[in-house]
Amino acid sequence: MNHRATTEPEAAQHVDPRSSVDRLLRDLRSSRRGLTGRESARRQVVYGPNMLTRKGGRRWPRQILGQLTQPLALLLWLAAVLSFITGSGALAAAIVAVILINAAFAFLQERHAEHAVEALAAYLPPSARAIRDGQETLVDARLLVPGDVIVVREGDRVSADARLLEGSVEMDVSTLTGESLPVLRTAEGDSFAERLLDASDMVFSGTSCTGGEATAVVFATGMHTELGRIAALSERVGHESSPLERQVTRVARVIAIVAIVMGAAFIPVGTLLTGLPLGDTLNFAIGLLVANVPEGLLPTITLALAVGVRVLAREGALVKRISAVETLGSTSVICTDKTGTLTMNQMRAVTLWTPDGTLALEGAVPPAAPGSPAARLAAAGVACNNAHIAPDGTETGDPTELAFLHAAATLGLPNNRLGVVRLAQFHFDPVLRRMSTVDAAAGESAVHCKGAPEELLPLCDWISAPDGGREPLSERDRTHVVETVNDWAEQGLRVLAVAEKAVPGDGAAGLSRHDAERGLTLLGIIALLDPPRPEVADAVARCHAAGIRLIIVTGDHGLTARGIAARVGIGDGDIRIVSGTELDHMPEAELDALLATDREIIFARSSPEAKLRIADALRDLGHVVAMTGDGVNDAPALRRADIGVAMGRSGTDVAREASAMVLTDDDFASIVSAVRSGRRVYDNVRKFIVYIFAHATPEVVPFLLYAVAGGGIPLPLTVMQILAVDLGTETLPALALGREPEEPGTMDRPPRQRGQNVIDGPMLARAWGLLGGISAVLVTGGFLATLIAGGWHFGAPTASGPLHGVWVQATTMTFLGIVACQIGTAFAARTQTASLAQIGIGTNKLLLWGIAFEIAFSAAIVYVPPLQLVFGTAAPEPWQLLMLVPFPFIVWGSDEAVRYIRRRRARTGVELKPAAV
């Protein structure tokens, strides 16, 4: 019994749905009458519920632990432990608070839980119609099992994968395949399509019936369905850290190693070689650790990215993962869908051809004369139609059929079937590629037919005449029609032919499809277009200027996609089209070679696995990939890409859950705006990293001076003063630098390489060497000048006695000197190469407010007695304050001079390495 329970699901869920209906029913141990209630209950125990399940448990404990154990946090934990051991409980508490604040910022931004599987489950309806005990019964969809026979009618959403037994239905399969048009599924269809999803005698879980009625036998439920397969792909594909996150982590490790080595190395040096007491040596080691750690870096980056999120939201792009803002700036390839992203997702007739000639349906169009070929074509298109436009403008039906109704209105003709009685209908057949109706109006009956020109033209013996009659269809006419069709198809237009045939009133009854669709009169052909969004062409041009490559990945036909690509400027006249079948048979090496070029490509009829292959190949080639999508089938690729971009209006919940960014307006131009914002955010992150890192040097150098002097020069800063700098005075200016306006030429430079470091050698040279080095000299000078002026000499004790007050005042000057240098560094870091005069002193008002807060905060620490006690400060003398005035100008001026030299050399053609931000 146990053996059967474990093997039977595997056997049933892996039957061959392509086998004959009788064989399939036999393998499923079912019949056309369905299952009995008792048998379905037994199978429910064996197979389990028909639902999508999610694996894995809680992630948040692991996320919290990761934030508390990342390199900078570990370094601070060490400093807190040492502080507690040496009796500095207040300092230990302050350091722990810093750790918790950093962890809270990062954790809250990572708590965008992934609900792709839960969103997919929403596509399963709560109930289904199943035949149980020979009767149609409404059952809980979760209770469906393989072998159940279900009934599918118009408006139903399918609950499981099933093979049709009787009838035919039109299905909206866009959530699974990306097809923008409904497709016909019939029991007489073909099971042997290249992809199972294309089999014309099957329906799939999560798809919707738009017309018709059929019965079908269930062959897969739950996670064994096509929808379940996509759910499994979505869950297995995880998000990776952004380039900035990985690089900041790498730098944090380097800083941690340097700080630990420096602090640990000084303990034996200080106690053995210089004779310092162990307590002083440990205090020094703690100070060195805290001075090396940029405590404000992580929260500042997080808050700056959060600001970028708000800016993008105002531009129509909702960013779910905060690190995605920075990743956008490095995007080098955008894989975009066609329908709804590049286009309006509104099919419209743009041109028609009749024996009277070609007529454009755009702009001012003269009304069609009654009885003219154009009027006859429009009337036939309205009659052979199931769409409807209500008086209030509400549209229902297939987009192609709605296009015929709009074309009739454009020609000044009725766009409804009032007065027309439908006698028979032959549904659109994907094999025959045409649809026909038999209609009666004004006492006359006629067949109206529309379909693919290459299928309809051979059935026509006549062509409409200008006088309202008909003429024999000559070979010359046929050749002209074929040439016109080919010309329009090359432009990416969808072309349909329209024909009619008069039938006697008594001959309409019982007319077969074969008899109805022969001896037709060709009325003309019509070209349909899903027009591109008007702003897309400019957005594409901006992408090309920014060095971003565009690749169209669509479920639609390649020729249609090529036409849209040509209209918006993607690729060139011979843009490569790769079909889904061709891609499936393409080796990885050939795909890599194709994507390694700079050529823009169209991947048509793409499956979920194909999109994953494309994203993986591009990432392996070093590209940062943004992938757009709106359907369920797009979810795995959206999660795999560096930036998954979902459509907010037309997109599914699944796509939105799987993505990192949602476009509220479904506009491709919003992606380009997001890339621009991402580049600006990236530049600004580098600016405030320069600003933050520049202060490490003046914090560390005085400590090294203390060590080299063997304690003869007292410690220049207390650890609490260092924390006041790192978390107090520098935070607001750093955040203000994160709001710097975009610099000229942001979208005129190529994207940075995937492995390019956000923190590189030139940047550190500028921060630690130039800005930090000058600041260290000035700060150390202010500290020593204050000591000497107070009567101190080398080696004199300051821990207690008459010089203790002088030492407190000197450490206060060190603190104020760093703050003064911060002001100069803030103005210097605002630009990479331009002068401050070019960008303007007052263009970043937030920075001015940040500096004002910095000064006020410093004054409070220095002059408010309770804060003096906490931070170990004393009010400076007036002459000491005057000594601080030139500090900002010296720091800023030195950097301004270096940038001036670089600009001058660049103008004279001297080759230079790129300046660090």
Side-chain angles (χ1 to χ4, degrees):
M1 179 65 184
N2 290 338
H3 176 71
R4 181 177 182 179
T6 56
T7 61
E8 192 173 45
E10 294 299 320
Q13 299 280 22
H14 289 88
V15 297
D16 182 8
R18 299 176 187 265
S19 59
S20 66
V21 171
D22 292 338
R23 173 68 180 271
L24 181 61
L25 289 171
R26 188 193 71 186
D27 291 344
L28 291 169
R29 300 186 312 286
S30 183
S31 69
R32 295 176 184 270
R33 297 185 301 276
L35 303 174
T36 65
R38 180 180 298 176
E39 176 64 13
S40 65
R42 189 193 70 80
R43 295 191 183 193
Q44 178 68 29
V45 174
V46 174
Y47 301 126
N50 174 37
M51 57 190 298
L52 303 184
T53 58
R54 179 173 185 155
K55 300 178 181 179
R58 296 180 179 178
R59 299 178 181 177
W60 62 266
R62 187 166 59 251
Q63 290 175 335
I64 293 178
L65 182 62
Q67 294 303 327
L68 294 176
T69 57
Q70 53 94 5
L72 291 184
L74 290 175
L75 195 60
L76 290 175
W77 280 117
L78 178 61
V81 170
L82 291 175
S83 299
F84 182 78
I85 292 174
T86 56
S88 302
L91 177 58
I95 296 175
V96 170
V98 171
I99 298 171
L100 296 178
I101 291 172
N102 280 344
F105 269 120
F107 173 72
L108 290 175
Q109 295 303 330
E110 288 182 359
R111 283 300 297 152
H112 294 285
E114 301 297 342
H115 298 296
V117 174
E118 287 83 346
L120 278 164
Y123 279 80
L124 296 178
S127 60
R129 298 184 183 93
I131 298 177
R132 298 274 176 86
D133 297 313
Q135 300 293 324
E136 181 181 324
T137 308
L138 192 66
V139 301
D140 189 329
R142 294 174 298 177
L143 301 181
L144 288 180
V145 293
D148 259 325
V149 174
I150 59 174
V151 180
V152 180
R153 295 192 179 98
E154 181 175 351
D156 289 347
R157 182 171 285 170
V158 181
S159 309
D161 291 2
R163 171 84 171 269
L164 294 184
L165 300 176
E166 294 178 357
S168 60
V169 286
E170 288 185 338
M171 300 298 299
D172 178 2
V173 296
S174 59
T175 55
L176 291 180
T177 66
E179 286 281 358
S180 57
L181 301 177
V183 296
L184 181 69
R185 295 289 187 253
T186 175
E188 288 75 34
D190 181 13
S191 299
F192 297 98
E194 182 74 21
R195 296 188 304 168
L196 189 65
L197 285 171
D198 295 329
S200 58
D201 60 352
M202 298 186 195
V203 293
F204 298 94
S205 177
T207 61
S208 301
C209 178
T210 60
E213 179 177 344
T215 59
V217 60
V218 173
F219 62 81
T221 58
M223 294 299 289
H224 294 275
T225 63
E226 290 295 305
L227 193 66
R229 182 175 59 85
I230 293 174
L233 281 174
S234 298
E235 191 169 20
R236 286 197 298 267
V237 176
H239 289 303
E240 294 184 0
S241 300
S242 73
L244 181 62
E245 289 172 321
R246 290 193 296 270
Q247 291 168 28
V248 168
T249 300
R250 188 182 305 121
V251 171
R253 289 195 185 99
V254 173
I255 293 174
I257 293 172
V258 170
I260 292 174
V261 170
M262 290 178 64
F266 182 75
I267 293 176
V269 171
T271 55
L272 299 178
L273 300 183
T274 63
L276 288 175
L278 180 61
D280 291 346
T281 303
L282 288 176
N283 285 333
F284 171 82
I286 294 171
L288 204 56
L289 286 174
V290 177
N292 270 289
V293 177
E295 291 88 356
L297 178 61
L298 294 180
T300 303
I301 289 178
T302 301
L303 290 174
L305 294 177
V307 169
V309 169
R310 290 195 294 271
V311 171
L312 289 175
R314 290 196 294 268
E315 297 176 354
L318 301 179
V319 177
K320 295 170 53 185
R321 221 172 64 240
I322 192 168
S323 61
V325 178
E326 178 269 333
T327 310
L328 278 165
S330 57
T331 300
S332 58
V333 177
I334 298 177
C335 295
T336 177
D337 197 359
K338 178 188 71 67
T339 304
T341 306
L342 300 178
T343 67
M344 302 287 290
N345 198 20
Q346 298 173 354
M347 193 72 74
R348 290 290 182 266
V350 293
T351 311
L352 62 82
W353 175 91
T354 67
D356 273 352
T358 302
L359 176 64
L361 298 179
E362 298 175 302
V365 180
S372 66
R376 292 171 63 186
L377 184 152
V382 171
C384 186
N385 203 306
N386 291 317
H388 178 66
I389 301 178
D392 62 357
T394 303
E395 300 179 352
T396 57
D398 179 79
T400 300
E401 296 197 331
L402 285 169
F404 274 91
L405 301 186
H406 285 290
T410 300
L411 293 170
L413 301 170
N415 63 352
N416 54 62
R417 296 192 304 274
L418 292 178
V420 177
V421 178
R422 179 166 296 174
L423 305 178
Q425 174 176 317
F426 304 104
H427 283 281
F428 175 78
D429 188 310
V431 177
L432 301 177
R433 300 174 64 196
R434 59 181 180 268
M435 168 190 174
S436 300
T437 58
V438 183
D439 307 294
E444 297 181 352
S445 300
V447 174
H448 299 111
C449 185
K450 68 176 186 293
E454 57 270 31
E455 301 295 337
L456 202 58
L457 195 59
L459 303 177
C460 295
D461 297 332
W462 308 88
I463 189 169
S464 62
D467 60 2
R470 65 179 186 175
E471 299 174 349
L473 182 62
S474 66
E475 285 302 318
R476 181 179 179 182
D477 293 330
R478 291 180 187 273
T479 301
H480 182 68
V481 171
V482 170
E483 290 175 350
T484 304
V485 168
N486 291 337
D487 181 51
W488 287 355
E490 285 295 321
Q491 300 175 38
L493 302 175
R494 187 181 184 202
V495 186
L496 294 178
V498 182
E500 68 177 6
K501 180 177 75 171
V503 295
D506 56 351
L511 192 65
S512 68
R513 183 164 201 160
H514 177 266
D515 293 333
E517 296 175 345
R518 65 176 181 173
L520 300 172
T521 299
L522 180 66
L523 300 179
I525 56 176
I526 187 167
L528 307 176
L529 172 70
D530 181 6
R533 292 176 176 269
E535 63 278 359
V536 167
D538 178 64
V540 168
R542 282 186 282 149
C543 282
H544 290 159
I548 299 173
R549 180 183 176 194
L550 300 174
I551 294 176
I552 297 178
V553 186
T554 179
D556 285 341
H557 195 280
L559 284 178
T560 305
R562 184 170 69 180
I564 294 297
R567 288 173 178 261
V568 300
I570 297 177
D572 47 35
D574 64 342
I575 186 171
R576 173 77 182 273
I577 299 176
V578 179
S579 68
T581 302
E582 183 182 354
L583 180 60
D584 289 342
H585 293 89
M586 185 179 291
E588 295 296 332
E590 185 178 344
L591 177 61
D592 290 347
L594 177 64
L595 294 175
T597 66
D598 293 332
R599 188 176 182 182
E600 295 182 326
I601 307 167
I602 295 173
F603 290 96
R605 305 297 193 198
S606 297
S607 65
E609 290 85 357
K611 291 188 174 184
L612 275 177
R613 282 189 67 195
I614 294 166
D616 283 342
L618 287 168
R619 284 161 55 89
D620 287 344
L621 291 169
H623 291 287
V624 176
V625 183
M627 174 81 72
T628 72
D630 54 8
V632 171
N633 62 311
D634 295 321
L638 289 175
R639 287 176 59 84
R640 172 72 78 187
D642 296 284
I643 294 291
V645 183
M647 304 298 110
R649 290 181 179 175
S650 61
T652 62
D653 291 340
V654 179
R656 288 191 286 268
E657 288 294 343
S659 64
M661 185 172 78
V662 179
L663 300 182
T664 58
D665 52 7
D666 291 10
D667 189 353
F668 178 82
S670 296
I671 303 176
V672 183
S673 297
V675 171
R676 178 191 294 271
S677 295
R679 290 191 176 189
R680 178 179 59 80
V681 167
Y682 176 81
D683 289 346
N684 290 347
V685 166
R686 286 174 60 90
K687 290 174 184 177
F688 67 64
I689 288 177
V690 166
Y691 171 77
I692 290 173
F693 276 29
H695 309 137
T697 307
E699 289 176 0
V700 171
V701 166
F703 278 91
L704 296 179
L705 189 63
Y706 164 81
V708 171
I713 299 176
L715 284 171
L717 271 175
T718 67
V719 176
M720 292 300 295
Q721 289 168 355
I722 294 174
L723 292 177
V725 171
D726 291 349
L727 294 177
T729 63
E730 80 177 13
T731 301
L732 287 185
L735 288 174
L737 287 172
R739 299 293 300 272
E740 273 291 316
E742 174 190 332
E743 291 191 34
T746 297
M747 291 296 283
D748 294 327
R749 65 176 191 246
R752 67 184 188 274
Q753 295 298 314
R754 186 179 190 88
Q756 181 178 335
N757 291 326
V758 65
I759 303 173
D760 52 23
M763 178 182 181
L764 294 179
R766 183 187 182 197
W768 286 343
L770 178 61
L771 296 170
I774 293 174
S775 299
V777 171
L778 295 174
V779 167
T780 304
F783 172 71
L784 293 176
T786 303
L787 284 177
I788 294 171
W792 171 86
H793 60 85
F794 185 83
T798 58
S800 60
L803 292 178
H804 179 71
V806 175
W807 173 75
V808 171
Q809 198 170 53
T811 59
T812 302
M813 284 298 295
T814 303
F815 166 73
L816 293 176
I818 292 175
V819 172
C821 291
Q822 279 182 328
I823 297 173
T825 302
F827 283 107
R830 290 188 59 194
T831 178
Q832 177 178 355
T833 56
S835 68
L836 184 61
Q838 288 177 290
I839 63 174
I841 296 177
T843 52
N844 188 344
K845 290 183 172 55
L846 288 176
L847 180 61
L848 300 180
W849 283 108
I851 291 173
F853 169 82
E854 181 178 20
I855 295 172
F857 180 74
S858 302
I861 288 177
V862 170
Y863 290 104
V864 176
L867 294 180
Q868 286 179 334
L869 184 63
V870 172
F871 291 95
T873 59
E877 300 292 335
W879 69 268
Q880 293 170 334
L881 293 177
L882 288 176
M883 183 174 61
L884 297 173
V885 172
F887 282 17
F889 297 98
I890 295 173
V891 173
W892 161 76
S894 301
D895 189 74
E896 185 80 13
V898 171
R899 282 184 279 118
Y900 171 76
I901 294 171
R902 287 185 175 277
R903 292 196 303 271
R904 184 175 179 180
R905 290 183 178 178
R907 286 195 298 267
T908 57
V910 177
E911 185 177 353
L912 288 173
K913 295 180 180 179
V917 175

